[in-house]
């Protein structure tokens, strides 16, 4: 496991992955809007299709967090079903102030409109993924995604590398990032308490099992693309997190999830948050709840920004199926015991590629 110290604070912070520097996609699109370089053209089988099964979008579960937090049985059943059948759901009445959501969106939009020279002050180094740039690039031959990102570790606070936290625009301040991050953290904690209950444990058990709830943010910028049928904003992958909470734009659809072998668009519900199950919950539940492949697509006319917050355990936490989650359908532990930090870094050493990292963790027993 790599480690280093923040130049600003002197604090020890873990490193996560190497990534080879690549061109800025926003600048490529701005300088030559009628061309897509070959390295961004996806294989035929991976390209977006015109039919995206939008009619299934309305079937993606919507959960009322205010009711769920009060132990509402109908919402608990809905959460259980959502995690088993979809791995994704949207959350309304989540308690994060609408003004905070809007301020975060406005500030991030201003950041990405800054001159490249200004944004490059926060460039991602080659030995880690915090900062501004393009993560998960592991070879010079790798096909690339049509997006740029700003990635920040937020909690615990000593994991922050403050040199990568933007000082402009003023709206994207440390205070703004913390206010938004605190709001979604409360949502994650409430969801983990409810998941503990439906998994047959005391409500705080999952939170305790993390040792320390680690939180990171990834703000994705997807430029408009002249050939959206040839590129992907983010390639298909599942998340190595426990939970991921995503804020979408209210008026642009870009997120797609794989459901029963088909790609389904997740249509934004204004001011709702999208939540998905990550690998950690899949492992602890012995595969009853699965982290689901998802991807982002682009469009011809408008840039899109999304805001993903990842929640995961401390590096030293050992994850494996919980004994009581073995069942008649899964009588053996389907996943090996592994330290979370090892699982995370192993997945980051490879291109985002579907569920490959969870398949490698399986015991081979069914």
């Amino acid at each position: 496991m790599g480690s280093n110290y923040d130049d600003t604070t002197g604090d020890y912070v873990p490193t996560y992955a190497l990534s080879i520097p690549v061109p800025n996609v926003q600048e490529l699109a701005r300088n030559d809007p009628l061309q897509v370089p070959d390295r961004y053209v996806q294989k035929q089988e991976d390209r977006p299709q015109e039919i995206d099964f939008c009619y299934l979008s309305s079937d993606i579960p919507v959960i009322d967090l205010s009711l769920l937090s009060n132990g509402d049985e109908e919402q608990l059943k809905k959460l259980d079903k959502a995690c088993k059948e979809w791995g994704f759901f949207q959350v309304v009445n989540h308690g994060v102030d609408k003004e905070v959501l809007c301020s975060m969106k406005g500030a991030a939009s201003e950041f990405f409109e800054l001159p490249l020279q200004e944004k490059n002050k926060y460039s991602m180094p080659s030995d880690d993924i915090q900062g501004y740039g393009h993560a998960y690039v592991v070879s010079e031959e790798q096909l690339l995604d049509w997006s740029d990102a700003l990635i920040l570790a937020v909690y615990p606070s000593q994991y922050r590398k403050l040199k990568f936290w933007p000082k402009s625009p003023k709206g994207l301040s440390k205070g703004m990032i913390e206010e938004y991050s605190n709001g979604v953290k409360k949502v994650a904690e409430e969801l983990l308490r409810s998941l503990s209950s439906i998994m047959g444990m005391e409500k705080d058990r999952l939170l305790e099992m993390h040792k320390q709830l680690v939180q990171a943010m990834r703000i994705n910028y997807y430029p408009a693309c002249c050939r959206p049928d040839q590129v992907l904003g983010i390639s298909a992958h599942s998340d190595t997190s426990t939970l991921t909470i995503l804020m979408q734009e209210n008026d642009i659809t870009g997120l797609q999830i794989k459901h029963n072998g088909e790609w389904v668009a997740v249509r934004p519900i204004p001011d709702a948050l999208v939540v998905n199950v990550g690998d950690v919950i899949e492992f602890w539940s012995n595969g009853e709840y699965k982290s689901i492949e998802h991807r982002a697509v682009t469009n011809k006319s408008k840039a899109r920004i999304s805001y993903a917050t990842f929640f995961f355990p401390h590096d030293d936490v050992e994850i494996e199926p919980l004994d009581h989650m073995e069942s008649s359908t899964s009588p053996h532990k389907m996943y090996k015991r592994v330290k979370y930090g090892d699982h995370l870094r192993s997945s980051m050493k490879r291109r985002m590629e579907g569920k490959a990292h969870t398949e490698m963790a399986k015991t081979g027993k069914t």
Side-chain angles (χ1 to χ4, degrees):
M1 182 194 310
S3 66
N4 59 10
Y5 292 84
D6 183 74
D7 294 340
T8 308
T9 65
D11 286 335
Y12 161 84
V13 285
T15 58
Y16 291 101
L18 304 176
S19 190
I20 299 169
V22 294
N24 179 273
V25 181
Q26 188 177 3
E27 289 299 301
L28 285 175
R30 179 179 289 153
N31 294 334
D32 196 349
L34 299 180
Q35 292 294 325
V36 175
D38 289 345
R39 200 172 173 191
Y40 296 85
V41 177
Q42 299 293 320
K43 296 176 183 176
Q44 190 68 44
E45 62 269 24
D46 295 331
R47 295 179 189 178
Q49 304 298 313
E50 286 188 22
I51 301 173
D52 61 8
F53 294 86
C54 273
Y55 67 91
L56 288 174
S57 294
S58 59
D59 293 340
I60 298 171
V62 178
I63 291 173
D64 187 321
L65 191 66
S66 64
L67 295 176
L68 185 72
S69 301
N70 290 323
D72 183 90
E73 285 296 326
E74 183 180 342
Q75 297 298 313
L76 283 166
K77 288 177 183 175
K78 191 182 285 189
L79 177 64
D80 182 51
K81 184 177 181 181
C83 293
K84 284 178 178 173
E85 297 182 3
W86 287 89
F88 268 80
F89 51 94
Q90 300 211 53
V91 173
V92 296
N93 296 326
H94 45 66
V96 185
D97 194 282
K98 183 176 180 177
E99 286 187 14
V100 173
L101 303 181
C102 290
S103 295
M104 187 70 210
K105 289 177 178 179
S109 180
E110 285 184 48
F111 172 79
F112 286 107
E113 289 309 313
L114 291 173
L116 181 60
Q117 184 179 2
E118 183 68 23
K119 289 179 292 196
N120 277 344
K121 291 179 181 178
Y122 313 103
S123 286
M124 197 178 289
S126 60
D127 63 349
D128 202 4
I129 61 168
Q130 288 201 55
Y132 171 69
H134 203 110
Y136 295 94
V137 183
V138 297
S139 79
E140 297 290 354
E141 295 76 34
Q142 176 182 327
L143 294 179
L144 299 175
D145 293 335
W146 194 257
S147 60
D148 303 308
L150 176 65
I151 302 176
L152 304 172
V154 182
Y155 292 113
S157 56
Q158 65 266 27
Y159 283 14
R160 300 175 182 178
K161 293 184 177 178
L162 293 176
K163 62 187 176 183
F164 299 119
W165 288 51
K167 294 180 175 59
S168 62
K170 290 183 178 179
L172 195 62
S173 63
K174 179 171 173 283
M176 178 71 257
I177 293 170
E178 287 181 333
E179 188 173 15
Y180 174 77
S181 296
N182 285 334
V184 293
K185 184 179 184 182
K186 290 176 183 175
V187 175
E189 289 171 345
E190 285 296 331
L191 290 170
L192 286 169
R193 291 186 183 102
S194 296
L195 281 166
S196 286
S197 296
I198 62 177
M199 288 172 69
M201 298 181 290
E202 294 294 322
K203 68 176 184 177
D204 288 322
R205 185 63 186 130
L206 282 179
L207 280 167
E208 291 166 357
M209 288 164 61
H210 283 73
K211 284 190 180 176
Q212 195 172 30
L213 192 62
V214 182
Q215 180 174 343
M217 171 188 283
R218 174 173 174 153
I219 307 176
N220 302 296
Y221 184 91
Y222 308 99
C225 181
C226 63
R227 293 304 307 268
D229 58 325
Q230 293 186 352
V231 306
L232 286 172
I234 290 185
S235 298
H237 66 285
S238 66
D239 290 345
T240 51
S241 58
T242 304
L243 291 176
T244 302
I245 296 180
L246 180 80
M247 178 169 65
Q248 299 200 81
E249 303 278 16
N250 286 339
D251 59 345
I252 310 173
T253 300
L255 172 64
Q256 296 182 342
I257 64 176
K258 203 163 197 178
H259 181 69
N260 294 334
E262 306 293 351
W263 288 107
V264 179
V266 182
R267 287 178 178 159
I269 297 173
D271 304 320
L273 296 170
V274 180
V275 182
N276 64 277
V277 170
D279 293 348
V280 179
I281 291 293
E282 178 170 336
F283 291 0
W284 279 337
S285 71
N286 203 30
E288 187 162 342
Y289 303 147
K290 287 184 172 61
S291 59
I292 298 298
E293 282 185 67
H294 52 287
R295 67 185 186 183
V297 298
T298 64
N299 68 80
K300 277 188 177 181
S301 59
K302 197 170 182 181
R304 174 176 171 265
I305 304 176
S306 67
Y307 310 75
T309 301
F310 306 94
F311 298 90
F312 46 95
H314 187 275
D315 276 351
D316 293 337
V317 171
E318 291 190 332
I319 52 173
E320 66 174 328
L322 300 169
D323 291 341
H324 73 276
M325 295 304 294
E326 294 179 50
S327 65
S328 56
T329 54
S330 300
H332 305 287
K333 291 190 176 183
M334 293 174 58
Y335 305 93
K336 307 166 190 172
R337 179 187 299 175
V338 63
K339 279 191 177 180
Y340 178 71
D342 293 340
H343 173 69
L344 176 63
R345 285 164 182 78
S346 173
S347 71
M348 287 181 165
K349 288 177 182 176
R350 53 194 300 143
R351 180 180 186 269
M352 287 196 290
E353 195 172 16
K355 296 267 298 173
H357 53 286
T358 53
E359 291 299 317
M360 290 173 60
K362 287 187 175 179
T363 61
K365 298 178 180 179
T366 56

PDB file of all heavy atoms in Angstrom, residues 238-267:
ATOM      1  N   SER A 238     -18.679  -1.575 -11.844  1.00  0.00           N
ATOM      2  CA  SER A 238     -19.393  -1.518 -10.565  1.00  0.00           C
ATOM      3  C   SER A 238     -18.471  -0.833  -9.564  1.00  0.00           C
ATOM      4  O   SER A 238     -17.264  -0.715  -9.794  1.00  0.00           O
ATOM      5  CB  SER A 238     -19.796  -2.916 -10.086  1.00  0.00           C
ATOM      6  OG  SER A 238     -18.649  -3.699  -9.784  1.00  0.00           O
ATOM      7  N   ASP A 239     -19.027  -0.354  -8.474  1.00  0.00           N
ATOM      8  CA  ASP A 239     -18.254   0.443  -7.520  1.00  0.00           C
ATOM      9  C   ASP A 239     -17.642  -0.414  -6.422  1.00  0.00           C
ATOM     10  O   ASP A 239     -18.288  -1.337  -5.916  1.00  0.00           O
ATOM     11  CB  ASP A 239     -19.137   1.517  -6.878  1.00  0.00           C
ATOM     12  CG  ASP A 239     -19.524   2.612  -7.858  1.00  0.00           C
ATOM     13  OD1 ASP A 239     -18.896   2.703  -8.930  1.00  0.00           O
ATOM     14  OD2 ASP A 239     -20.450   3.384  -7.552  1.00  0.00           O
ATOM     15  N   THR A 240     -16.418  -0.077  -6.024  1.00  0.00           N
ATOM     16  CA  THR A 240     -15.743  -0.800  -4.940  1.00  0.00           C
ATOM     17  C   THR A 240     -16.178  -0.309  -3.567  1.00  0.00           C
ATOM     18  O   THR A 240     -15.698  -0.803  -2.558  1.00  0.00           O
ATOM     19  CB  THR A 240     -14.218  -0.628  -5.062  1.00  0.00           C
ATOM     20  OG1 THR A 240     -13.922   0.759  -5.182  1.00  0.00           O
ATOM     21  CG2 THR A 240     -13.678  -1.360  -6.272  1.00  0.00           C
ATOM     22  N   SER A 241     -17.089   0.633  -3.516  1.00  0.00           N
ATOM     23  CA  SER A 241     -17.528   1.249  -2.266  1.00  0.00           C
ATOM     24  C   SER A 241     -18.479   0.341  -1.484  1.00  0.00           C
ATOM     25  O   SER A 241     -18.813  -0.767  -1.907  1.00  0.00           O
ATOM     26  CB  SER A 241     -18.244   2.560  -2.585  1.00  0.00           C
ATOM     27  OG  SER A 241     -19.345   2.306  -3.454  1.00  0.00           O
ATOM     28  N   THR A 242     -18.925   0.849  -0.330  1.00  0.00           N
ATOM     29  CA  THR A 242     -20.065   0.252   0.375  1.00  0.00           C
ATOM     30  C   THR A 242     -21.342   0.782  -0.257  1.00  0.00           C
ATOM     31  O   THR A 242     -22.209   0.026  -0.686  1.00  0.00           O
ATOM     32  CB  THR A 242     -20.041   0.617   1.872  1.00  0.00           C
ATOM     33  OG1 THR A 242     -18.791   0.223   2.439  1.00  0.00           O
ATOM     34  CG2 THR A 242     -21.167  -0.089   2.615  1.00  0.00           C
ATOM     35  N   LEU A 243     -21.450   2.105  -0.296  1.00  0.00           N
ATOM     36  CA  LEU A 243     -22.545   2.793  -0.982  1.00  0.00           C
ATOM     37  C   LEU A 243     -21.965   3.942  -1.796  1.00  0.00           C
ATOM     38  O   LEU A 243     -20.938   4.516  -1.427  1.00  0.00           O
ATOM     39  CB  LEU A 243     -23.546   3.377   0.014  1.00  0.00           C
ATOM     40  CG  LEU A 243     -24.434   2.439   0.833  1.00  0.00           C
ATOM     41  CD1 LEU A 243     -25.272   3.259   1.815  1.00  0.00           C
ATOM     42  CD2 LEU A 243     -25.338   1.596  -0.063  1.00  0.00           C
ATOM     43  N   THR A 244     -22.635   4.283  -2.880  1.00  0.00           N
ATOM     44  CA  THR A 244     -22.316   5.482  -3.648  1.00  0.00           C
ATOM     45  C   THR A 244     -23.574   6.324  -3.743  1.00  0.00           C
ATOM     46  O   THR A 244     -24.655   5.794  -4.018  1.00  0.00           O
ATOM     47  CB  THR A 244     -21.826   5.131  -5.062  1.00  0.00           C
ATOM     48  OG1 THR A 244     -20.673   4.281  -4.967  1.00  0.00           O
ATOM     49  CG2 THR A 244     -21.461   6.377  -5.843  1.00  0.00           C
ATOM     50  N   ILE A 245     -23.430   7.623  -3.498  1.00  0.00           N
ATOM     51  CA  ILE A 245     -24.553   8.552  -3.624  1.00  0.00           C
ATOM     52  C   ILE A 245     -24.218   9.550  -4.723  1.00  0.00           C
ATOM     53  O   ILE A 245     -23.172  10.198  -4.687  1.00  0.00           O
ATOM     54  CB  ILE A 245     -24.833   9.273  -2.291  1.00  0.00           C
ATOM     55  CG1 ILE A 245     -25.271   8.246  -1.231  1.00  0.00           C
ATOM     56  CG2 ILE A 245     -25.917  10.350  -2.470  1.00  0.00           C
ATOM     57  CD1 ILE A 245     -25.567   8.852   0.130  1.00  0.00           C
ATOM     58  N   LEU A 246     -25.116   9.671  -5.693  1.00  0.00           N
ATOM     59  CA  LEU A 246     -24.876  10.491  -6.874  1.00  0.00           C
ATOM     60  C   LEU A 246     -25.920  11.596  -6.985  1.00  0.00           C
ATOM     61  O   LEU A 246     -27.118  11.338  -6.881  1.00  0.00           O
ATOM     62  CB  LEU A 246     -24.935   9.624  -8.136  1.00  0.00           C
ATOM     63  CG  LEU A 246     -24.701  10.345  -9.460  1.00  0.00           C
ATOM     64  CD1 LEU A 246     -23.214  10.562  -9.691  1.00  0.00           C
ATOM     65  CD2 LEU A 246     -25.310   9.570 -10.628  1.00  0.00           C
ATOM     66  N   MET A 247     -25.446  12.815  -7.216  1.00  0.00           N
ATOM     67  CA  MET A 247     -26.338  13.915  -7.589  1.00  0.00           C
ATOM     68  C   MET A 247     -26.223  14.113  -9.091  1.00  0.00           C
ATOM     69  O   MET A 247     -25.125  14.263  -9.622  1.00  0.00           O
ATOM     70  CB  MET A 247     -25.963  15.192  -6.842  1.00  0.00           C
ATOM     71  CG  MET A 247     -26.824  16.390  -7.232  1.00  0.00           C
ATOM     72  SD  MET A 247     -26.630  17.838  -6.156  1.00  0.00           S
ATOM     73  CE  MET A 247     -24.912  18.292  -6.480  1.00  0.00           C
ATOM     74  N   GLN A 248     -27.359  14.093  -9.782  1.00  0.00           N
ATOM     75  CA  GLN A 248     -27.397  14.302 -11.224  1.00  0.00           C
ATOM     76  C   GLN A 248     -27.857  15.723 -11.540  1.00  0.00           C
ATOM     77  O   GLN A 248     -28.425  16.416 -10.702  1.00  0.00           O
ATOM     78  CB  GLN A 248     -28.386  13.336 -11.881  1.00  0.00           C
ATOM     79  CG  GLN A 248     -28.082  11.856 -11.717  1.00  0.00           C
ATOM     80  CD  GLN A 248     -28.793  11.039 -12.778  1.00  0.00           C
ATOM     81  OE1 GLN A 248     -28.318  10.938 -13.902  1.00  0.00           O
ATOM     82  NE2 GLN A 248     -29.925  10.451 -12.421  1.00  0.00           N
ATOM     83  N   GLU A 249     -27.643  16.134 -12.791  1.00  0.00           N
ATOM     84  CA  GLU A 249     -28.297  17.332 -13.290  1.00  0.00           C
ATOM     85  C   GLU A 249     -29.803  17.050 -13.355  1.00  0.00           C
ATOM     86  O   GLU A 249     -30.225  15.915 -13.612  1.00  0.00           O
ATOM     87  CB  GLU A 249     -27.787  17.673 -14.693  1.00  0.00           C
ATOM     88  CG  GLU A 249     -26.292  17.877 -14.791  1.00  0.00           C
ATOM     89  CD  GLU A 249     -25.865  19.278 -14.378  1.00  0.00           C
ATOM     90  OE1 GLU A 249     -26.668  19.978 -13.739  1.00  0.00           O
ATOM     91  OE2 GLU A 249     -24.730  19.656 -14.700  1.00  0.00           O
ATOM     92  N   ASN A 250     -30.622  18.059 -13.130  1.00  0.00           N
ATOM     93  CA  ASN A 250     -32.069  17.843 -13.139  1.00  0.00           C
ATOM     94  C   ASN A 250     -32.643  17.605 -14.523  1.00  0.00           C
ATOM     95  O   ASN A 250     -33.732  17.031 -14.661  1.00  0.00           O
ATOM     96  CB  ASN A 250     -32.792  19.032 -12.496  1.00  0.00           C
ATOM     97  CG  ASN A 250     -32.634  19.060 -10.982  1.00  0.00           C
ATOM     98  OD1 ASN A 250     -32.338  18.039 -10.363  1.00  0.00           O
ATOM     99  ND2 ASN A 250     -32.820  20.226 -10.394  1.00  0.00           N
ATOM    100  N   ASP A 251     -31.929  18.051 -15.588  1.00  0.00           N
ATOM    101  CA  ASP A 251     -32.531  18.066 -16.923  1.00  0.00           C
ATOM    102  C   ASP A 251     -31.764  17.289 -17.981  1.00  0.00           C
ATOM    103  O   ASP A 251     -32.108  17.355 -19.159  1.00  0.00           O
ATOM    104  CB  ASP A 251     -32.714  19.512 -17.393  1.00  0.00           C
ATOM    105  CG  ASP A 251     -31.384  20.276 -17.439  1.00  0.00           C
ATOM    106  OD1 ASP A 251     -30.400  19.786 -16.855  1.00  0.00           O
ATOM    107  OD2 ASP A 251     -31.342  21.347 -18.062  1.00  0.00           O
ATOM    108  N   ILE A 252     -30.723  16.555 -17.586  1.00  0.00           N
ATOM    109  CA  ILE A 252     -29.939  15.804 -18.576  1.00  0.00           C
ATOM    110  C   ILE A 252     -29.770  14.366 -18.102  1.00  0.00           C
ATOM    111  O   ILE A 252     -29.270  14.120 -16.999  1.00  0.00           O
ATOM    112  CB  ILE A 252     -28.537  16.406 -18.790  1.00  0.00           C
ATOM    113  CG1 ILE A 252     -28.615  17.917 -19.041  1.00  0.00           C
ATOM    114  CG2 ILE A 252     -27.840  15.714 -19.962  1.00  0.00           C
ATOM    115  CD1 ILE A 252     -27.255  18.587 -19.085  1.00  0.00           C
ATOM    116  N   THR A 253     -30.179  13.420 -18.934  1.00  0.00           N
ATOM    117  CA  THR A 253     -30.000  12.005 -18.598  1.00  0.00           C
ATOM    118  C   THR A 253     -28.679  11.517 -19.167  1.00  0.00           C
ATOM    119  O   THR A 253     -28.387  11.728 -20.348  1.00  0.00           O
ATOM    120  CB  THR A 253     -31.156  11.164 -19.173  1.00  0.00           C
ATOM    121  OG1 THR A 253     -32.386  11.633 -18.627  1.00  0.00           O
ATOM    122  CG2 THR A 253     -30.992   9.688 -18.817  1.00  0.00           C
ATOM    123  N   GLY A 254     -27.870  10.871 -18.332  1.00  0.00           N
ATOM    124  CA  GLY A 254     -26.593  10.334 -18.794  1.00  0.00           C
ATOM    125  C   GLY A 254     -26.241   9.009 -18.153  1.00  0.00           C
ATOM    126  O   GLY A 254     -25.549   8.186 -18.749  1.00  0.00           O
ATOM    127  N   LEU A 255     -26.732   8.783 -16.929  1.00  0.00           N
ATOM    128  CA  LEU A 255     -26.432   7.547 -16.210  1.00  0.00           C
ATOM    129  C   LEU A 255     -27.276   6.401 -16.755  1.00  0.00           C
ATOM    130  O   LEU A 255     -28.485   6.546 -16.960  1.00  0.00           O
ATOM    131  CB  LEU A 255     -26.726   7.742 -14.718  1.00  0.00           C
ATOM    132  CG  LEU A 255     -26.642   6.501 -13.825  1.00  0.00           C
ATOM    133  CD1 LEU A 255     -25.224   5.934 -13.778  1.00  0.00           C
ATOM    134  CD2 LEU A 255     -27.131   6.838 -12.413  1.00  0.00           C
ATOM    135  N   GLN A 256     -26.628   5.259 -16.993  1.00  0.00           N
ATOM    136  CA  GLN A 256     -27.325   4.034 -17.387  1.00  0.00           C
ATOM    137  C   GLN A 256     -26.872   2.895 -16.486  1.00  0.00           C
ATOM    138  O   GLN A 256     -25.705   2.810 -16.119  1.00  0.00           O
ATOM    139  CB  GLN A 256     -27.028   3.671 -18.848  1.00  0.00           C
ATOM    140  CG  GLN A 256     -27.538   4.679 -19.855  1.00  0.00           C
ATOM    141  CD  GLN A 256     -27.267   4.254 -21.292  1.00  0.00           C
ATOM    142  OE1 GLN A 256     -26.430   3.386 -21.547  1.00  0.00           O
ATOM    143  NE2 GLN A 256     -27.973   4.857 -22.239  1.00  0.00           N
ATOM    144  N   ILE A 257     -27.821   2.022 -16.126  1.00  0.00           N
ATOM    145  CA  ILE A 257     -27.498   0.863 -15.290  1.00  0.00           C
ATOM    146  C   ILE A 257     -27.878  -0.413 -16.028  1.00  0.00           C
ATOM    147  O   ILE A 257     -28.787  -0.419 -16.865  1.00  0.00           O
ATOM    148  CB  ILE A 257     -28.214   0.931 -13.918  1.00  0.00           C
ATOM    149  CG1 ILE A 257     -29.733   0.872 -14.089  1.00  0.00           C
ATOM    150  CG2 ILE A 257     -27.799   2.189 -13.176  1.00  0.00           C
ATOM    151  CD1 ILE A 257     -30.483   0.849 -12.754  1.00  0.00           C
ATOM    152  N   LYS A 258     -27.152  -1.492 -15.729  1.00  0.00           N
ATOM    153  CA  LYS A 258     -27.413  -2.767 -16.399  1.00  0.00           C
ATOM    154  C   LYS A 258     -28.434  -3.552 -15.576  1.00  0.00           C
ATOM    155  O   LYS A 258     -28.195  -3.862 -14.404  1.00  0.00           O
ATOM    156  CB  LYS A 258     -26.128  -3.563 -16.554  1.00  0.00           C
ATOM    157  CG  LYS A 258     -26.198  -4.590 -17.679  1.00  0.00           C
ATOM    158  CD  LYS A 258     -24.801  -5.072 -18.074  1.00  0.00           C
ATOM    159  CE  LYS A 258     -24.832  -5.746 -19.425  1.00  0.00           C
ATOM    160  NZ  LYS A 258     -23.475  -6.181 -19.837  1.00  0.00           N
ATOM    161  N   HIS A 259     -29.561  -3.825 -16.189  1.00  0.00           N
ATOM    162  CA  HIS A 259     -30.644  -4.532 -15.503  1.00  0.00           C
ATOM    163  C   HIS A 259     -31.142  -5.654 -16.404  1.00  0.00           C
ATOM    164  O   HIS A 259     -31.598  -5.407 -17.516  1.00  0.00           O
ATOM    165  CB  HIS A 259     -31.781  -3.557 -15.176  1.00  0.00           C
ATOM    166  CG  HIS A 259     -32.929  -4.186 -14.460  1.00  0.00           C
ATOM    167  ND1 HIS A 259     -32.843  -4.645 -13.154  1.00  0.00           N
ATOM    168  CD2 HIS A 259     -34.201  -4.439 -14.863  1.00  0.00           C
ATOM    169  CE1 HIS A 259     -34.006  -5.141 -12.788  1.00  0.00           C
ATOM    170  NE2 HIS A 259     -34.850  -5.038 -13.807  1.00  0.00           N
ATOM    171  N   ASN A 260     -30.998  -6.891 -15.910  1.00  0.00           N
ATOM    172  CA  ASN A 260     -31.391  -8.066 -16.695  1.00  0.00           C
ATOM    173  C   ASN A 260     -30.764  -8.059 -18.085  1.00  0.00           C
ATOM    174  O   ASN A 260     -31.400  -8.392 -19.092  1.00  0.00           O
ATOM    175  CB  ASN A 260     -32.924  -8.157 -16.811  1.00  0.00           C
ATOM    176  CG  ASN A 260     -33.580  -8.422 -15.468  1.00  0.00           C
ATOM    177  OD1 ASN A 260     -32.962  -8.991 -14.559  1.00  0.00           O
ATOM    178  ND2 ASN A 260     -34.825  -8.003 -15.318  1.00  0.00           N
ATOM    179  N   GLY A 261     -29.491  -7.642 -18.127  1.00  0.00           N
ATOM    180  CA  GLY A 261     -28.732  -7.704 -19.366  1.00  0.00           C
ATOM    181  C   GLY A 261     -28.924  -6.533 -20.298  1.00  0.00           C
ATOM    182  O   GLY A 261     -28.297  -6.489 -21.369  1.00  0.00           O
ATOM    183  N   GLU A 262     -29.785  -5.571 -19.935  1.00  0.00           N
ATOM    184  CA  GLU A 262     -30.043  -4.418 -20.794  1.00  0.00           C
ATOM    185  C   GLU A 262     -29.652  -3.123 -20.091  1.00  0.00           C
ATOM    186  O   GLU A 262     -29.676  -3.044 -18.865  1.00  0.00           O
ATOM    187  CB  GLU A 262     -31.543  -4.357 -21.169  1.00  0.00           C
ATOM    188  CG  GLU A 262     -32.088  -5.627 -21.788  1.00  0.00           C
ATOM    189  CD  GLU A 262     -31.511  -5.937 -23.159  1.00  0.00           C
ATOM    190  OE1 GLU A 262     -30.802  -5.076 -23.713  1.00  0.00           O
ATOM    191  OE2 GLU A 262     -31.785  -7.036 -23.688  1.00  0.00           O
ATOM    192  N   TRP A 263     -29.311  -2.101 -20.879  1.00  0.00           N
ATOM    193  CA  TRP A 263     -28.943  -0.805 -20.316  1.00  0.00           C
ATOM    194  C   TRP A 263     -30.185   0.059 -20.148  1.00  0.00           C
ATOM    195  O   TRP A 263     -30.910   0.304 -21.111  1.00  0.00           O
ATOM    196  CB  TRP A 263     -27.918  -0.109 -21.208  1.00  0.00           C
ATOM    197  CG  TRP A 263     -26.564  -0.752 -21.125  1.00  0.00           C
ATOM    198  CD1 TRP A 263     -25.964  -1.529 -22.077  1.00  0.00           C
ATOM    199  CD2 TRP A 263     -25.660  -0.692 -20.021  1.00  0.00           C
ATOM    200  NE1 TRP A 263     -24.737  -1.955 -21.638  1.00  0.00           N
ATOM    201  CE2 TRP A 263     -24.514  -1.451 -20.378  1.00  0.00           C
ATOM    202  CE3 TRP A 263     -25.684  -0.071 -18.773  1.00  0.00           C
ATOM    203  CZ2 TRP A 263     -23.422  -1.609 -19.528  1.00  0.00           C
ATOM    204  CZ3 TRP A 263     -24.605  -0.228 -17.918  1.00  0.00           C
ATOM    205  CH2 TRP A 263     -23.493  -0.987 -18.295  1.00  0.00           C
ATOM    206  N   VAL A 264     -30.403   0.515 -18.926  1.00  0.00           N
ATOM    207  CA  VAL A 264     -31.580   1.310 -18.584  1.00  0.00           C
ATOM    208  C   VAL A 264     -31.129   2.695 -18.142  1.00  0.00           C
ATOM    209  O   VAL A 264     -30.269   2.828 -17.266  1.00  0.00           O
ATOM    210  CB  VAL A 264     -32.389   0.641 -17.444  1.00  0.00           C
ATOM    211  CG1 VAL A 264     -33.599   1.494 -17.078  1.00  0.00           C
ATOM    212  CG2 VAL A 264     -32.821  -0.763 -17.861  1.00  0.00           C
ATOM    213  N   ALA A 265     -31.694   3.729 -18.733  1.00  0.00           N
ATOM    214  CA  ALA A 265     -31.356   5.100 -18.354  1.00  0.00           C
ATOM    215  C   ALA A 265     -32.002   5.451 -17.017  1.00  0.00           C
ATOM    216  O   ALA A 265     -33.153   5.102 -16.764  1.00  0.00           O
ATOM    217  CB  ALA A 265     -31.834   6.070 -19.434  1.00  0.00           C
ATOM    218  N   VAL A 266     -31.239   6.141 -16.159  1.00  0.00           N
ATOM    219  CA  VAL A 266     -31.770   6.611 -14.877  1.00  0.00           C
ATOM    220  C   VAL A 266     -32.168   8.069 -15.054  1.00  0.00           C
ATOM    221  O   VAL A 266     -31.341   8.978 -14.975  1.00  0.00           O
ATOM    222  CB  VAL A 266     -30.736   6.461 -13.741  1.00  0.00           C
ATOM    223  CG1 VAL A 266     -31.329   6.907 -12.407  1.00  0.00           C
ATOM    224  CG2 VAL A 266     -30.249   5.016 -13.650  1.00  0.00           C
ATOM    225  N   ARG A 267     -33.437   8.275 -15.314  1.00  0.00           N
ATOM    226  CA  ARG A 267     -33.930   9.633 -15.538  1.00  0.00           C
ATOM    227  C   ARG A 267     -33.878  10.424 -14.234  1.00  0.00           C
ATOM    228  O   ARG A 267     -34.331   9.939 -13.190  1.00  0.00           O
ATOM    229  CB  ARG A 267     -35.359   9.598 -16.068  1.00  0.00           C
ATOM    230  CG  ARG A 267     -35.467   9.145 -17.508  1.00  0.00           C
ATOM    231  CD  ARG A 267     -36.911   9.095 -17.942  1.00  0.00           C
ATOM    232  NE  ARG A 267     -37.044   8.703 -19.340  1.00  0.00           N
ATOM    233  CZ  ARG A 267     -38.155   8.199 -19.850  1.00  0.00           C
ATOM    234  NH1 ARG A 267     -39.219   8.020 -19.087  1.00  0.00           N
ATOM    235  NH2 ARG A 267     -38.212   7.875 -21.125  1.00  0.00           N
TER     236      ARG A 267
END
